[in-house]
Amino acid sequence: MSETNPTTDDSTRRSTLNVLRRTFLATGSIALLPGLSDQRTASATTSVIQSMTPGDVPLDKYIENPELVEENQEPGHVPTIPYPSVKSALNQDRVNKSPLQRWRQSPHFESLNGDWNFHWALNPANAPSEFDGTDLWDTVTVPRVWQADGFGHAMYRNITLDLYPYDPPNVPNDINPVGTYQRTFTVPNSWTEGRRTFLRFDGVKSAYFVWINGEYVGFDKGSMTAAEFDVTDNLQPGANEIGVQVFRWSDGSYLENQDMWHFAGIFRDVSLYSTPNAHLRDYFLQPSLDSNYKNGALHVDAEIANYGDSADTYELQTYLFDPDYQPVKTASKTVDVPADDSAGVSFSIDVASPAKWSAEYPNLYRVGFELRQSGSQSATEAQLAKFGFRKYEIIDGQIHVNGEPVNFKGVNLHEHHPKFGRTMAENLRREEFERLKQFNVNALRNSHYPRGPEFYEFADEFGFYVCDEVNAETHQNPDLVNEYPAFHTQFMNRFRRMVQQWKNQASIFMWSTGNEAGLGPAHFHMAEYIEGGDVDGDGDAGAGVDPTRFLYHQANNGGVAPYADVIGPRYVSPSDLVDIAEDEDEQRPAVMGEYNHAMGNSLGLVERFWEVIEEHDQLQGGFIWDWVNQRLDEDYTITPDATEYGNDGVFHGEPTVVNTDAGDPAIELSGLDDWIEFYRDPSLDITEPGLTLEVEVQPRQPWTGSDAFLTKGDHQYGLKMSDESTLQFFIYDPEEEWVTVESTVPDDWYGNWHHVVGVHTGSELQLYVDGKQLASTPHDGSINHNPQPVNVGRNADKHRANWDGWLSNARYRRAAIHDRGFVADELRLNRSRPDESTVLWLDFEVFETDGTFRSYGVDPFCCNGLVDADRVPQPELWQLKKAHQPIRLRGANLTAGLVEVTNHYNFTDLSALDVHWELCEGGDVLQQGALDVALEPNDTTTVEIPFDQPEFEPGADYWLVVSFHLAEDTWYADVGHEVAFEQFEVPFDVPTPTLELVSEMSTISVNE
């Protein structure tokens, strides 16, 4: 691929190829737009789409084939929603702050969000093979993960995947949930006359197929990046039908091994937009500043597509507007575009003294494009985009923004809603950005996947430095990138699409090539794609699409890669940071990728971290792990215990109430993180010999890696299957550890009901199935105490965040625990009620739901945020705000009222803030006042607090509090919001209080 310098005024012609599969050889930087690039970078494998129904899809060729990432997709590009004119686009931009709100006002855009018909199946074999009978289906909301509508199972995992078994690129057949969506929509007549229509999905997990009016359209498994399909030839005027079939797991899931809740479904927006046959298909806005950071220029690389049958000449009229919507400049370029092809055009616009973008002052310019046929006065379409004049550089081992060294006071950020899972409501998104700004956060790491349009627009508008990260984590096997080269295409496709979709965002300063995904050829090729050159020395140079931003890599090797411009130490101590700063062999800027794990009562060292950071230029901050607690609000459903102890069972996940063939109620556990939990009660803490566990259970296939029927963790007692064919009853003896009795399961084990009992008689362990003793083991010792709760369907010790497998795949119609050992004759009785030895008795006949509870799934390790899931601050967030505050105050001569002030803002003079002071005696304010402090960024001065020396109270403490506040209302906080403060104990020479001798005190008498 050519890598010549950017052109400034020449258009670039392209060869004529099928518009659905354009492959162009190009020259100049304009060639770096995907629609104009060499097909060697593409991942779709065919240009001819075969007709097929959902029932015809050869799934193994699609969802177990990592080299097939997409089919019939448009090359990645920035959002290009057309408007009738730049004026109409500007009007919508003024009043609608989210992209979707603005786009909805265009006559060329239609949102497909809303109610869809929906069918959920546990596996592909039970999924619909046609889109008929949809009026009998259920209804769900799009966008939303299907778990939020009550279908399927949300699963939390950390290091391990949520699928089983781990066997890349294969996925399970018997359990791989499928969601089939269908709805109708109306297409205006004007959309089908001389125009093209594109269908856009902003996010679907994990793999999906699309049909329009029964015709197969295409396929995608990019998951966290948008996919677009040209559906022009599939549409008809008026009513149309769309069908989407989504598979929870595909080979792409092996790259989605993030520490988070795992969901499925259409979780981001779905939309249609219509373009004229001549369409501004993509553009790269590249703002720059001169060496003095005073004057700027906007360089534009644009691709004009011509979907028509004849060549034509088009004029691209460009309008530049300042942050107040005032016109700045216009430019016009003419380009010849062949039929059924596209062409590129490049040009630059100089701007004198532009308002610059930074996290402190996020000034955004608007650029409007109008495309028209040459000589015509009317536009065929108009588009509007935002950008900021800013310059990211590394100078003397430090990251600079617009010439100033910046510290990144960041957090790692997941998309998580307590009710809707991965789908973020706009009001919660906006509240989140407000909260981040209020607590002195200026940087965000998209851990560990790209976001939808709304996130990037808010980050640009509200002022945050963003590290955008490819959706590629393989934590369960960090060497997958080397062991399975077939995934190379998929790694690259995800990275390429992320970059091409969000290349115009002012906030993005760094591209991350992955998290906890090892280091291999794919990562080096990502680096070459951004920076150009032959990074890995294989003789194949990369495209070099965006050398203006930095590269970052977050493998579990300390957060370094040879190509990374910025190193990202992970979970280091403050002293480790000092070692990095003093390492003469490492001169790259250091921004911690993850640090100071914010779980529970945490962040104790955050102040020390920032003292070290501010002492060393090379250290430039980091991203706390992490921002939000990932808890879910689940229905609080119990099944009552029939004993006097009230050990009611609480549903976790989605246990299902079913009827047996005999009509009796039972509980069905799917294996996908369903279980019943009993909160700890002394009655269940049996530690002396004499114990009986019993369940009536119908084991099911497939084997899920575990069937913990009834356990109290792994270190007290339990009745379980130790493998697919072995039944086990165990106790944990503090001296002997695990003592077990095992037996091979009966021939009729799976699919039939069995009465399974484990008995500790005091002298031996006995195992029974259907009244027949299968095995015994001597034991006369004690049973260990374990704090874990009793569970049906789960082992609370083993089945946690890093469990490699699923849980119990079985049905239950009784579970009981007795604090004595039953004899054989008792086990043969058809007992229908508990006796005096029973401490737990569930017959699963009654179920009561009362409100919700806060669920963390199999492990509270997902609850490590600075804010709760509803974005209410945790106590440690106040500590982070203090450590991040942009103003440092130190006592100089406190008794004289002298305080040293350092302004750590990069672009803000302290005269922009109000300054308050108080002199206190204990908790009482004695004096207070205001100060005028004018101090330029990155400067230090000493100010005098004009207090009068008070009359000292013997033995009293005196405190000086100095605080800085917003001087006016902002989008994120009202006037008076505290930005920074410091409290000093003033070392006045306070008289010592007179001591009273005990001998002189009056006596005390006590009368009872």
Side-chain angles (χ1 to χ4, degrees):
M1 180 179 295
S2 173
E3 295 181 48
T4 59
N5 292 326
T7 59
T8 58
D9 57 7
D10 294 330
S11 64
T12 306
R13 299 282 298 265
R14 301 293 170 253
S15 59
T16 302
L17 295 173
N18 183 287
V19 72
L20 291 181
R21 281 291 167 265
R22 294 183 303 275
T23 60
F24 303 101
L25 297 176
T27 60
S29 68
I30 191 69
L32 305 179
L33 296 179
L36 300 171
S37 60
D38 193 316
Q39 182 65 14
R40 286 176 295 174
T41 66
S43 55
T45 60
T46 177
S47 60
V48 179
I49 303 303
Q50 300 299 321
S51 176
M52 59 183 178
T53 68
D56 296 331
V57 175
L59 286 178
D60 59 329
K61 303 299 184 184
Y62 283 89
I63 67 172
E64 294 180 322
N65 178 10
E67 294 180 297
L68 176 60
V69 182
E70 59 189 42
E71 191 166 65
N72 204 29
Q73 274 191 46
E74 291 295 295
H77 62 88
V78 300
T80 56
I81 306 304
Y83 290 84
S85 66
V86 167
K87 181 180 178 180
S88 65
L90 281 172
N91 288 339
Q92 296 307 324
D93 187 69
R94 286 186 175 97
V95 298
N96 294 301
K97 291 305 181 183
S98 79
L100 183 60
Q101 289 175 354
R102 294 198 306 274
W103 296 341
R104 283 179 185 268
Q105 306 309 311
S106 169
H108 309 307
F109 177 89
E110 181 174 345
S111 172
L112 296 186
N113 293 350
D115 291 340
W116 289 55
N117 298 318
F118 182 75
H119 179 284
W120 185 87
L122 183 63
N123 52 46
N126 291 308
S129 59
E130 300 281 353
F131 291 98
D132 52 11
T134 58
D135 55 325
L136 302 177
W137 292 6
D138 294 297
T139 302
V140 295
T141 299
V142 170
R144 191 177 296 174
V145 297
W146 65 51
Q147 288 85 353
D149 278 316
F151 298 93
H153 307 80
M155 300 172 70
Y156 169 64
R157 292 293 187 275
N158 175 15
I159 293 175
T160 53
L161 272 176
D162 58 322
L163 66 78
Y164 174 83
Y166 186 92
D167 182 26
N170 302 309
V171 294
N173 292 322
D174 295 320
I175 300 180
N176 185 7
V178 182
T180 306
Y181 297 77
Q182 183 273 344
R183 64 160 289 173
T184 59
F185 61 93
T186 301
V187 171
N189 289 341
S190 61
W191 282 28
T192 60
E193 299 171 0
R195 299 181 69 86
R196 308 300 296 183
T197 300
F198 298 90
L199 172 65
R200 178 183 174 97
F201 294 86
D202 279 327
V204 183
K205 257 188 173 290
S206 132
Y208 61 101
F209 301 83
V210 183
W211 287 263
I212 297 285
N213 295 326
E215 296 179 349
Y216 174 62
V217 168
F219 166 76
D220 176 58
K221 54 187 168 190
S223 179
M224 293 291 193
T225 49
E228 286 190 5
F229 305 92
D230 186 337
V231 295
T232 306
D233 296 337
N234 308 103
L235 296 175
Q236 58 193 17
N240 290 262
E241 177 185 293
I242 180 173
V244 183
Q245 195 159 75
V246 181
F247 292 77
R248 174 163 188 163
W249 293 303
S250 69
D251 53 75
S253 302
Y254 288 98
L255 302 189
E256 298 172 4
N257 205 168
Q258 293 96 338
D259 174 7
M260 64 184 186
W261 282 91
H262 293 267
F263 304 99
I266 305 174
F267 67 95
R268 290 184 187 149
D269 297 328
V270 184
S271 58
L272 290 162
Y273 69 95
S274 171
T275 76
N277 275 342
H279 171 52
L280 176 58
R281 191 197 164 275
D282 196 13
Y283 47 89
F284 190 7
L285 307 178
Q286 301 160 73
S288 62
L289 297 171
D290 63 21
S291 58
N292 295 318
Y293 310 101
K294 180 181 179 181
N295 297 317
L298 173 64
H299 183 81
V300 179
D301 289 333
E303 178 196 357
I304 313 299
N306 179 3
Y307 301 108
D309 296 330
S310 59
D312 211 335
T313 300
Y314 295 93
E315 179 187 3
L316 182 64
Q317 188 78 22
T318 303
Y319 303 86
L320 190 61
F321 301 90
D322 71 13
D324 295 321
Y325 294 94
Q326 296 303 305
V328 177
K329 278 191 174 183
T330 62
S332 179
K333 291 295 174 183
T334 300
V335 57
D336 297 327
V337 190
D340 199 23
D341 202 345
S342 65
V345 60
S346 294
F347 57 92
S348 293
I349 302 174
D350 294 328
V351 180
S353 301
K356 293 182 283 294
W357 187 97
S358 68
E360 294 173 32
Y361 294 99
N363 295 301
L364 289 174
Y365 282 68
R366 274 79 177 166
V367 57
F369 298 105
E370 286 189 349
L371 186 65
R372 60 192 61 160
Q373 284 183 307
S374 181
S376 172
Q377 296 302 309
S378 60
T380 60
E381 72 166 0
Q383 295 184 34
L384 185 71
K386 304 176 189 179
F387 72 95
F389 283 101
R390 82 286 184 267
K391 191 173 187 177
Y392 298 128
E393 301 171 284
I394 293 177
I395 303 173
D396 296 330
Q398 281 186 292
I399 299 173
H400 286 61
V401 178
N402 303 338
E404 295 294 333
V406 170
N407 283 338
F408 298 93
K409 301 171 181 181
V411 297
N412 283 275
L413 186 66
H414 264 300
E415 284 186 313
H416 184 84
H417 192 288
K419 294 182 179 179
F420 306 140
R422 192 70 57 229
T423 304
M424 291 285 289
E426 182 185 339
N427 62 335
L428 186 64
R429 174 91 73 191
R430 187 173 291 271
E431 180 182 345
E432 181 163 76
F433 276 95
E434 290 175 357
R435 190 79 73 241
L436 287 159
K437 208 72 168 183
Q438 290 165 2
F439 284 85
N440 294 329
V441 173
N442 74 352
L444 305 171
R445 176 176 173 230
N446 282 346
S447 53
H448 305 289
Y449 42 84
R451 307 299 150 94
E454 187 178 77
F455 170 87
Y456 296 100
E457 288 231 357
F458 282 2
D460 285 358
E461 178 185 350
F462 298 148
F464 291 89
Y465 301 115
V466 172
C467 172
D468 211 8
E469 190 156 72
V470 65
N471 179 29
E473 177 171 338
T474 63
H475 202 165
Q476 188 164 349
N477 179 14
D479 211 31
L480 180 141
V481 66
N482 296 304
E483 293 178 357
Y484 296 88
F487 279 92
H488 182 93
T489 298
Q490 200 158 160
F491 274 103
M492 285 302 301
N493 177 272
R494 292 177 176 216
F495 186 74
R496 185 184 303 110
R497 284 193 171 273
M498 173 185 73
V499 171
Q500 291 298 343
Q501 287 172 16
W502 309 121
K503 58 188 173 235
N504 290 337
Q505 307 307 133
S507 54
I508 297 175
F509 76 104
M510 193 155 63
W511 301 115
S512 172
T513 54
N515 181 74
E516 294 169 342
L519 182 63
H523 301 113
F524 284 90
H525 287 183
M526 292 178 196
E528 293 173 354
Y529 183 70
I530 292 296
E531 294 191 337
D534 183 9
V535 176
D536 57 2
D538 65 357
D540 184 13
V545 301
D546 186 20
T548 66
R549 293 181 173 100
F550 312 127
L551 281 168
Y552 198 60
H553 188 66
Q554 283 290 285
N556 273 335
N557 62 350
V560 296
Y563 56 76
D565 303 298
V566 180
I567 64 170
R570 299 167 58 88
Y571 299 110
V572 293
S573 67
S575 61
D576 292 332
L577 276 186
V578 173
D579 291 341
I580 291 170
E582 294 178 350
D583 182 357
E584 295 182 357
D585 294 328
E586 182 55 84
Q587 299 298 313
R588 290 174 289 181
V591 178
M592 290 177 286
E594 297 176 17
Y595 80 108
N596 228 15
H597 198 275
M599 188 171 191
N601 185 18
S602 56
L603 264 64
L605 281 175
V606 69
E607 196 78 27
R608 178 58 185 150
F609 271 110
W610 278 92
E611 289 173 358
V612 169
I613 290 166
E614 291 171 3
E615 290 168 0
H616 298 84
D617 290 346
Q618 183 188 2
L619 308 178
Q620 292 190 262
F623 303 96
I624 293 284
W625 186 267
D626 64 347
W627 173 246
V628 60
N629 276 350
Q630 295 181 63
R631 56 99 171 157
L632 290 175
D633 295 339
E634 291 190 0
D635 288 341
Y636 181 71
T637 300
I638 67 167
T639 181
D641 173 25
T643 76
E644 61 183 287
Y645 299 102
N647 291 315
D648 299 337
V650 179
F651 283 23
H652 284 254
E654 296 290 337
T656 304
V657 179
V658 298
N659 288 321
T660 68
D661 292 341
D664 300 320
I667 288 293
E668 180 176 289
L669 304 183
S670 67
L672 306 182
D673 288 13
D674 302 327
W675 74 94
I676 298 172
E677 187 157 307
F678 308 88
Y679 297 122
R680 289 177 292 183
D681 185 89
S683 63
L684 301 174
D685 190 24
I686 300 170
T687 57
E688 297 298 325
L691 168 69
T692 300
L693 307 181
E694 61 172 322
V695 293
E696 289 187 33
V697 63
Q698 184 187 54
R700 301 188 300 168
Q701 290 183 320
W703 170 248
T704 57
S706 172
D707 237 332
F709 296 140
L710 183 61
T711 68
K712 193 172 188 299
D714 207 40
H715 294 85
Q716 193 155 354
Y717 55 75
L719 194 58
K720 68 174 189 177
M721 293 184 68
S722 58
D723 59 42
E724 189 173 3
S725 60
T726 305
L727 189 62
Q728 181 188 99
F729 171 51
F730 74 88
I731 62 96
Y732 189 89
D733 186 311
E735 296 182 0
E736 301 180 41
E737 297 188 341
W738 285 278
V739 181
T740 66
V741 55
E742 293 185 337
S743 175
T744 301
V745 299
D747 293 339
D748 65 345
W749 180 247
Y750 286 102
N752 295 297
W753 285 97
H754 301 281
H755 184 213
V756 182
V757 182
V759 178
H760 190 337
T761 66
S763 60
E764 66 178 8
L765 303 185
Q766 300 172 347
L767 182 61
Y768 294 82
V769 173
D770 299 332
K772 179 181 179 181
Q773 183 174 335
L774 301 183
S776 63
T777 297
H779 180 259
D780 58 4
S782 61
I783 303 173
N784 185 54
H785 162 71
N786 180 19
Q788 295 290 355
V790 170
N791 283 188
V792 170
R794 172 177 177 249
N795 182 323
D797 271 320
K798 293 178 64 176
H799 299 151
R800 300 178 67 87
N802 299 326
W803 169 245
D804 180 15
W806 292 332
L807 306 188
S808 176
N809 180 26
R811 291 177 172 178
Y812 298 81
R813 62 186 182 195
R814 179 183 299 172
I817 301 176
H818 314 271
D819 65 3
R820 67 179 179 87
F822 279 24
V823 298
D825 289 344
E826 291 178 289
L827 298 177
R828 298 187 185 100
L829 298 175
N830 185 20
R831 290 170 294 105
S832 60
R833 62 177 61 90
D835 64 19
E836 66 280 358
S837 71
T838 308
V839 296
L840 174 69
W841 181 281
L842 297 182
D843 50 22
F844 302 117
E845 293 182 350
V846 178
F847 308 95
E848 302 169 0
T849 299
D850 184 14
T852 61
F853 75 104
R854 297 182 172 190
S855 171
Y856 49 75
V858 296
D859 201 313
F861 198 70
C862 60
C863 293
N864 45 30
L866 297 161
V867 295
D868 202 0
D870 55 10
R871 275 48 176 186
V872 173
Q874 300 280 90
E876 62 268 24
L877 183 56
W878 297 94
Q879 181 65 48
L880 185 68
K881 178 184 178 183
K882 180 69 167 56
H884 277 181
Q885 66 185 29
I887 302 158
R888 294 296 180 205
L889 301 100
R890 296 176 176 82
N893 184 343
L894 290 172
T895 56
L898 299 180
V899 174
E900 181 184 274
V901 180
T902 299
N903 180 3
H904 283 297
Y905 279 116
N906 298 111
F907 308 102
T908 303
D909 192 290
L910 293 190
S911 59
L913 300 175
D914 290 336
V915 187
H916 300 162
W917 64 269
E918 294 178 346
L919 182 67
C920 303
E921 180 184 275
D924 299 325
V925 178
L926 301 180
Q927 302 172 41
Q928 59 184 322
L931 289 175
D932 291 325
V933 179
L935 183 63
E936 292 184 351
N938 296 313
D939 202 356
T940 299
T941 191
T942 299
V943 299
E944 181 178 357
I945 312 299
F947 61 75
D948 297 323
Q949 183 170 296
E951 293 186 13
F952 299 127
E953 179 71 23
D957 295 327
Y958 292 87
W959 301 89
L960 177 63
V961 180
V962 183
S963 56
F964 290 73
H965 304 258
L966 293 179
E968 57 186 30
D969 291 341
T970 67
W971 66 267
Y972 64 90
D974 295 334
V975 60
H977 168 77
E978 185 178 83
V979 175
F981 82 97
E982 197 59 76
Q983 182 184 51
F984 304 98
E985 184 174 9
V986 185
F988 289 131
D989 187 11
V990 178
T992 303
T994 303
L995 299 179
E996 187 174 356
L997 297 175
V998 175
S999 60
E1000 297 177 356
M1001 294 180 182
S1002 58
T1003 59
I1004 297 175
S1005 61
V1006 178
N1007 297 319
E1008 296 184 0

